[in-house]
Amino acid sequence: MTLPSEGELFKKILGAEWSRLHPDIQARFDKNPLPGKPLNYRGELSELTCSKLGRVLGYFTMPMIQGALMPYNDAHFPVDIQVYSKENCPSIFKQRIYRLNGRKSVQFTSYMQESSKGEVLEYVGMGLGMKLVLDVRDGNLHFESDGYFWEVFGLRIPLPGLFTPGKTFLCHRNNNANQFDIRIDIRHPLFGTTFTQAGVFREVAA
């Protein structure tokens, strides 16, 4: 089995657009997390916000999808990210530990894989996930959600947009070879921005 890699998946999906990514970002995603040898990143979130609707959704979904939707407002706290693979598994896993100020740390793990139709899918727990569309702008990598779904027995059931937290926008912006910014905004079609995360990260030795 070919080892799973975000980079190989993104290259396939982006095609010629891959060459427009900043070389530092290309090099970052070219690294494959071998089973038992994860990639580790450490950073600080300068911004974590949620709206009133976001807080309700966050607390309601916490038992099911842990920290996928964070029902808190906080700033300037450390975050650890681990990207890893498993033996004989096509998925790429990403574990995040949010070390919040004055609260218990929140751990959240999602995984990404390619669908049979060549789509990029990210699962956040309990069969819930979203389809992602990739784009390159000014050399940086952008992701936008293109619909949420609930997968049951291998069948993906689309979820109406109005009954989701909103459309997800993520930007991976390069600072230098060792540092990058991540910004995530989730915007509901009726209620505006429900969640925001922004921070700076760098790779660290295991």
Side-chain angles (χ1 to χ4, degrees):
M1 173 181 287
T2 301
L3 290 171
S5 162
E6 285 181 301
E8 291 304 315
L9 176 56
F10 296 166
K11 282 181 191 177
K12 179 179 179 181
I13 298 299
L14 286 170
E17 288 290 289
W18 172 265
S19 64
R20 295 180 55 233
L21 274 176
H22 192 285
D24 290 345
I25 298 180
Q26 293 184 37
R28 194 169 295 128
F29 283 108
D30 268 336
K31 297 178 180 179
N32 292 335
L34 301 174
K37 296 183 178 180
L39 302 174
N40 294 281
Y41 302 90
R42 184 161 297 152
E44 178 183 282
L45 278 197
S46 58
E47 181 181 358
L48 175 71
T49 63
C50 66
S51 66
K52 291 182 180 179
L53 172 63
R55 185 174 295 108
V56 172
L57 291 173
Y59 278 116
F60 178 75
T61 60
M62 185 71 78
M64 297 176 285
I65 55 176
Q66 299 177 340
L69 302 173
M70 299 278 283
Y72 309 122
N73 291 295
D74 204 343
H76 303 296
F77 61 89
V79 179
D80 292 318
I81 298 177
Q82 188 176 85
V83 181
Y84 62 95
S85 62
K86 297 180 180 179
E87 292 282 358
N88 301 313
C89 179
S91 301
I92 304 134
F93 296 83
K94 188 170 293 184
Q95 175 187 276
R96 309 156 184 85
I97 300 178
Y98 298 86
R99 305 188 187 281
L100 299 158
N101 293 305
R103 297 179 184 272
K104 183 179 178 181
S105 295
V106 175
Q107 179 175 309
F108 163 58
T109 302
S110 65
Y111 65 93
M112 187 178 292
Q113 64 184 38
E114 181 183 5
S115 75
S116 60
K117 298 179 181 180
E119 304 160 311
V120 178
L121 305 178
E122 183 164 18
Y123 293 81
V124 298
M126 299 289 292
L128 295 170
M130 58 184 168
K131 175 184 170 184
L132 295 173
V133 176
L134 281 63
D135 188 23
V136 179
R137 302 174 211 160
D138 300 322
N140 299 309
L141 184 57
H142 292 256
F143 302 79
E144 292 185 12
S145 63
D146 185 22
Y148 292 80
F149 60 85
W150 182 35
E151 187 169 301
V152 183
F153 300 114
L155 177 66
R156 272 194 279 155
I157 303 171
L159 300 178
L162 290 178
F163 298 102
T164 70
K167 190 176 182 69
T168 296
F169 300 85
L170 185 151
C171 176
H172 178 120
R173 183 172 66 86
N174 194 66
N175 292 332
N176 54 55
N178 300 312
Q179 184 174 290
F180 57 95
D181 289 349
I182 293 289
R183 182 176 181 88
I184 303 171
D185 292 289
I186 303 180
R187 301 173 192 151
H188 193 276
L190 294 181
F191 302 106
T193 300
T194 50
F195 297 93
T196 296
Q197 292 185 24
V200 59
F201 296 85
R202 61 174 57 242
E203 186 175 355
V204 296

